[in-house]
Structure formats: C-alpha cells, structure tokens
Amino acid sequence: MSQKLDLELISLTKRYGATVAVDAISYHFNAGTYACLLGPSGCGKSSTLRMIAGHENVSDGSITLGGRDISHLPPAKRGTAMMFQNYALFPHLSVLDNVAFSLRMQGVETAARHARAKEMLELVDMTALADRLPAQLSGGQQQRAALARALITKPDVLLLDEPLSALDPFLRIRMRAELKKLQRELGITFVHVTHGQDEALALADEIVVMNDAKIEQAGKTRSVFEAPKSAFVARFLGSHNVVSMPDGMVAIRSDALQVTSTDTAKLPGTITNIEYQGTHVALTAVVRGEQEVTALLSDKDFFGDPKDLGEAIGLDWEAEAAHALAS
Ligand code: ADP
Ligand code: MG
C-alpha cells in the first residue's frame, strides 16, 4: 500500500468459445483512483474485473501493475483483492475468522492473524461483531465484513463487482458514502463495477463506460458527463436528451432545456408527462411528432408558470449546451 502503482490494461481480451466478452480494451488507471466500470448487463464488466483479479484467464493482451506484468500470476500474488457481489463469506466461520482467512492460508499463526483481522474490523467499524456468524449480520454488516476480508492482504488495487446491489436503496446510499471514505483513507485504487449511473457518478473519479465488449468512452467523471461522445453514453448516463437536429444528433442535458410558450423556439413540442420530483419537475414533451424530450425544471420555475398536459410549448437551449454526437 505504500508504493504508488498504476494499473494498466493493454488490449485486454476475453473470449469464451465464440463469444468475445472483452474486445481489446486498453486503459490506464492512475494509482489511488476511484474508477467505475459502467455499462449494461453483458457488456463485459465482470469478465474484465475477473481477469484483473486472476479469477479468469486472459485470452489476449495483458495487465500490468506498477509496470509488472501480472496477467498470468495467481490471484494472491498480484497485489489485487476482490470483493464479490454476494460477499461469499464462509457461513461456518466467525466474522473474525472470515477476515483472517487469507492470512491463515498464508500460514500466519493464530494470534498474529487475529490481531490483523481486528485492525481490519476496526477500520470498517465492526469490532463489536467479531464473534458473530455471517447469518447473524445485516446486509450492510456482511458487506463490511467482506471488505475487511478483502483488505487484509493490503492490496494495491481493490476490485469490487456490483458491491452495493444486494442492499436496499437506503442502505446502498449509506454504504456508497462509506466505500468512498474508505478509499480516500486507504489511498489505494478501487475498480468498482456497476450498471448504475447514479452510483458511478457519486463514487468515481474516473468512469469507464463499456458497451458490447468495448470501451465506449472513458475519463474524468465530470468530463464524460459534461461531454458524452455518443448517443449510447448520453442515454446511459441519463439526465441527457438525445435529439436529432438538421445538422446531426446532439446531446442536451435535461436541466439545460428552457420551456417557453413561443413558437420561435428551436424545438416546438407538446407536453406528454409532468412528473413532480420534490425539488424539481420533470416535464416531458413529444417533439416533431415522435421524439420524447425531458426538461428538468426547478420547482420555482415550473410553478412560477405552470403548464398542463397536452399544452403546446417551445424548448430552447444555449448553443454551448448542445454536444454533437458521433452516432
Ligand atoms: P457484465 O458483467 O457486464 O454483465 P460479463 O463479463 O459477465 O458482463 O459477460 C460478458 C459476456 O460474456 C456476456 O455475453 C456473457 O454471457 C458472457 N460470459 C460471461 N461469463 C461467461 C462464461 N463463463 N462462459 C461463457 N460466456 C460467458
Ligand atoms: Mg457482471
């Protein structure tokens, strides 16, 4: 954990028979980055993570950590650790012994490994529950135990596959804040797989959007969100409208759309849905008789000049709010 080791994927490829699950992806993760691999189900996220962890063979290309080729090393020798979606805790072992498990495999004697396991439990605020069995823990507590177990080997890179998906929505938001805090404290690289754009936006310094076995767009989270390059990325990140204009397709953020009553607006439309969201109102209109476009208005703006279903409106935006899309 003391050295700063960058993780690099070089033309990394995974084939399962005729299926290409990961198609020659390359990416450089700077040490200490919180990165999210984001994409729909089946796009190759888990296969990528499992290859980094060493739980899956690399079909082609390579993986380096701190310049060292780790592509063919056993999982325990890579400097990575993996936290699984279902936590995979051993049901018959106490929390303490679950956390100490990999040290036991390394032949570390009982007193020493329990001391280290206690440090890890302290880190995730689970000291009081050390003697419990996994079945006696809540979902959030199981997650903390799994985190402590993954971190005990002092990995340079922690790999997390949909780590929050087993939690209810309320707990998910709390645990995601804790993951972020833990990553900041440890200063190690986290590579977190998710299909949830809100989760990725909330956590990631860098976001890697995958689609159909390839990287569609990657970079600093805010840069990707502010300037999606393809219709796929704009749609997948949400909060964007993809609109075809005479000079091509553009992405426009929902909160950048202004609603007017004039017919000089760039896009005339008819209101098809009005959704109250507390602080905001999402107003959906059909434009050009086919495309749906959503404007996110502050409650003040909407209720200052309320509109009705079926009403004709105009949608406008500042020129710089529209981003040209590749496809
Ligand atoms: P994701 O995690 O993004 O949902 P996966 O990496 O699990 O995607 O899967 C990518 C593709 O590889 C999918 O088409 C999936 O069906 C296929 N795949 C995943 N694991 C296996 C496997 N063990 N054998 C055969 N095909 C697999
Ligand atoms: Mg997966």
Side-chain angles (χ1 to χ4, degrees):
M1 271 193 262
S2 50
Q3 290 160 282
K4 287 287 181 194
L5 302 181
D6 290 2
L7 171 70
E8 192 157 13
L9 313 182
I10 305 148
S11 286
L12 188 63
T13 298
K14 180 68 200 176
R15 288 183 221 97
Y16 302 101
T19 307
V20 183
V22 180
D23 192 1
I25 66 170
S26 296
Y27 198 71
H28 186 120
F29 298 93
N30 285 318
T33 300
Y34 201 125
C36 281
L37 298 187
L38 174 68
S41 179
C43 72
K45 306 180 298 294
S46 294
S47 298
T48 301
L49 210 66
R50 290 201 304 264
M51 284 192 284
I52 300 170
H55 298 305
E56 196 77 76
N57 293 328
V58 167
S59 304
D60 249 317
S62 59
I63 304 159
T64 65
L65 183 57
R68 182 175 71 126
D69 191 334
I70 60 166
S71 316
H72 304 289
L73 295 178
K77 295 258 169 12
R78 294 187 171 210
T80 61
M82 177 108 163
M83 195 184 119
F84 297 94
Q85 190 166 7
N86 52 8
Y87 314 137
L89 294 168
F90 300 113
H92 57 289
L93 293 183
S94 69
V95 167
L96 188 74
D97 284 325
N98 262 288
V99 174
F101 186 77
S102 60
L103 297 187
R104 186 171 125 200
M105 290 294 98
Q106 290 171 15
V108 177
E109 52 102 13
T110 313
R113 69 176 190 253
H114 280 175
R116 277 299 314 283
K118 282 178 183 156
E119 280 173 37
M120 290 297 123
L121 287 173
E122 180 87 50
L123 184 70
V124 296
D125 217 2
M126 283 279 289
T127 308
L129 306 178
D131 296 326
R132 294 230 188 137
L133 292 172
Q136 299 167 322
L137 302 177
S138 71
Q141 291 162 347
Q142 287 182 35
Q143 202 218 29
R144 286 170 207 224
L147 264 174
R149 189 179 59 171
L151 290 169
I152 201 166
T153 57
K154 298 193 172 181
D156 299 298
V157 178
L158 183 66
L159 306 163
L160 308 105
D161 195 351
E162 310 256 5
L164 303 172
S165 63
L167 305 176
D168 65 64
F170 186 75
L171 198 54
R172 195 178 301 154
I173 288 171
R174 216 181 78 198
M175 289 310 294
R176 111 182 156 194
E178 292 195 19
L179 276 182
K180 183 79 178 175
K181 179 162 167 268
L182 191 62
Q183 189 268 341
R184 233 183 277 124
E185 284 170 5
L186 295 170
I188 64 172
T189 308
F190 275 31
V191 182
H192 174 140
V193 159
T194 178
H195 60 267
Q197 50 78 27
D198 55 338
E199 194 168 307
L201 294 177
L203 285 169
D205 302 315
E206 291 189 18
I207 201 165
V208 178
V209 184
M210 290 184 68
N211 180 26
D212 201 11
K214 292 197 171 75
I215 294 177
E216 183 93 7
Q217 190 174 350
K220 299 253 179 274
T221 304
R222 194 153 170 244
S223 318
V224 175
F225 188 79
E226 302 255 291
K229 288 189 179 130
S230 67
F232 174 85
V233 174
R235 290 202 180 96
F236 202 79
L237 289 176
S239 315
H240 286 85
N241 292 290
V242 175
V243 186
S244 47
M245 297 299 287
D247 47 353
M249 290 239 275
V250 294
I252 310 161
R253 268 165 59 166
S254 308
D255 58 344
L257 285 177
Q258 298 139 20
V259 175
T260 68
S261 332
T262 66
D263 48 12
T264 55
K266 291 192 183 75
L267 273 184
T270 306
I271 299 176
T272 54
N273 195 28
I274 298 171
E275 196 177 273
Y276 179 57
Q277 297 183 348
T279 55
H280 288 81
V281 175
L283 187 154
T284 302
V286 64
V287 297
R288 299 217 188 84
E290 40 153 9
Q291 276 184 288
E292 288 217 311
V293 169
T294 296
L296 193 64
L297 308 173
S298 74
D299 61 338
K300 245 191 213 137
D301 284 350
F302 180 82
F303 291 106
D305 180 18
K307 307 278 182 212
D308 277 321
L309 279 179
E311 202 170 316
I313 53 161
L315 293 161
D316 254 326
W317 56 89
E318 307 287 339
E320 61 271 22
H323 291 274
L325 297 173
S327 56

